Amino acid sequence: MFTLARSRAGKAALALTAVAAVALGTTTTTGATAAPAPDPAPASTASKQGPTSVAYIEVNNHSMLNAGKYTLADGSGNAFDVAVIFAANINYDTGAKKAYLHFNENVQRVLDNAATEIRPLQQKGIKVVLSVLGNHQGAGFANFTSQQTASAFAKEMSDAVARYGLDGIDFDDEYAEYGQNGTAQPNASSFVHLVTALRANMPDKIISLYNIGPAASRLSYGGVDISSKFDYAWNPYYGTWQVPGIGLPKSRLSPAAVEIGRTSQSTVTSLARRTVDEGYGVYLTYNLDGSDRSADVSAFTRELYGTDAVYTP
């Protein structure tokens, strides 16, 4: 059996915290402003060879620092290369009739404490990306009705990346509930305008696609195909193999997706082996918690990198 997208308890917490947004129509990015990210220390991963490994972390329940607690037993680097903060939200201001970027209290805490929650990962050479997710309010990446409104939301995202010293944005088009609050249905141009503007704003940052929802199937409009604007795209169905339908090279795709602690170790291993055998360059994991998961992590690092993973609390 596989887990369909993100059908998890953490979702309820995201939805409930939506009502805690400060003023309507205002991006909830108040609080301490983090210093710019220091240059990472790539020496720690210089000798690591193999696919890029990704860890989504539910910050409603778990610490981002968990991603930095796993290293490869042969000393070649970190087990994880990218850690994803799950998740900020795209919310809807019914008064102003516009989408805005919202951080629940747990995401805001991570961002406000970037010096202790984010910088330690970056100093190890781990990239830290912010996932943005629908929040049951009708706002989504696929229903901006003009290039201007799409570009305005892109600026909110790139401003957050700059403000908190992050390494990029991950798009997850779930739970938008298009049509709620009188919002528009998905259209062909919205996501193309949004991603085009975001890439222009942050040419050297990561943009990744959780390959699900109306946005993921609307990558081309008016002769513009935005596939090449993404750094990575991955399968959203845990415990399965599915090649994302986007025009990226294999080196940027993760057909494998596993949920740590729920996907069996035998499946984790077989998906990792297939990743290597078929020449794909990314391996996606979800729900890294604070337990010692070295057995689960080693189940894929042995196939991807030829060595076990070591957990250091």
Side-chain angles (χ1 to χ4, degrees):
M1 295 296 291
F2 59 84
T3 304
L4 176 61
R6 290 192 170 79
S7 52
R8 338 171 255 231
K11 275 296 173 290
L14 286 172
L16 289 172
T17 54
V19 299
V22 290
L24 279 174
T26 303
T27 303
T28 56
T29 55
T30 56
T33 300
D39 290 333
S44 64
T45 57
S47 59
K48 180 180 178 180
Q49 301 293 322
T52 297
S53 52
V54 182
Y56 275 87
I57 298 177
E58 289 260 19
V59 296
N60 284 338
N61 307 307
H62 307 300
S63 170
M64 288 300 296
L65 296 178
N66 294 336
K69 295 179 179 179
Y70 295 87
T71 54
L72 299 178
D74 67 358
S76 61
N78 302 303
F80 295 103
D81 302 297
V82 179
V84 183
I85 301 169
F86 190 79
N89 295 106
I90 177 171
N91 278 12
Y92 189 68
D93 179 344
T94 56
K97 298 188 184 306
K98 60 172 289 195
Y100 67 98
L101 184 63
H102 168 69
F103 305 140
N104 73 23
E105 61 184 2
N106 296 303
V107 173
Q108 189 68 64
R109 171 185 48 77
V110 171
L111 297 175
D112 286 343
N113 293 283
T116 55
E117 297 279 337
I118 296 171
R119 300 294 171 261
L121 298 178
Q122 293 172 324
Q123 287 162 358
K124 291 174 183 284
I126 299 171
K127 301 293 188 181
V128 180
V129 171
L130 179 66
S131 184
V132 183
L133 175 74
N135 205 11
H136 311 280
Q137 298 181 14
F141 313 127
N143 68 343
F144 288 102
T145 55
S146 70
Q147 185 172 4
Q148 291 73 24
T149 55
S151 296
F153 189 73
K155 186 174 188 303
E156 288 193 47
M157 290 190 290
S158 58
D159 283 352
V161 168
R163 180 178 299 116
Y164 297 108
L166 302 173
D167 295 299
I169 292 289
D170 174 65
F171 285 104
D172 184 347
D173 191 15
E174 299 179 272
Y175 307 101
E177 295 187 21
Y178 291 102
Q180 290 290 323
N181 293 312
T183 56
Q185 291 298 316
N187 64 66
S189 64
S190 176
F191 198 44
V192 172
H193 290 322
L194 179 61
V195 175
T196 298
L198 183 63
R199 177 50 79 200
N201 293 350
M202 36 183 245
D204 301 318
K205 298 290 186 177
I206 292 171
I207 302 178
S208 58
L209 178 66
Y210 191 79
N211 190 47
I212 198 168
S217 62
R218 291 167 168 82
L219 303 178
S220 179
Y221 175 77
V224 176
D225 189 311
I226 56 172
S227 296
S228 64
K229 299 184 185 300
F230 292 95
D231 294 278
Y232 305 113
W234 28 72
N235 171 16
Y237 301 102
Y238 302 119
T240 74
W241 177 274
Q242 184 181 102
V243 179
I246 181 173
L248 286 174
K250 284 185 171 184
S251 61
R252 298 187 180 190
L253 297 177
S254 180
V258 302
E259 182 169 355
I260 293 175
R262 291 193 66 184
T263 304
S264 70
Q265 289 177 21
S266 61
T267 298
V268 170
T269 295
S270 66
L271 291 175
R273 183 178 302 123
R274 187 172 179 182
T275 297
V276 173
D277 288 347
E278 298 191 21
Y280 287 94
V282 190
Y283 191 85
L284 177 69
T285 76
Y286 164 69
N287 208 23
L288 182 65
D289 61 19
S291 304
D292 179 352
R293 297 291 185 181
S294 54
D296 295 289
V297 177
S298 294
F300 68 81
T301 62
R302 281 192 295 268
E303 299 298 326
L304 300 184
Y305 314 117
T307 184
D308 284 340
V310 176
Y311 173 75
T312 304

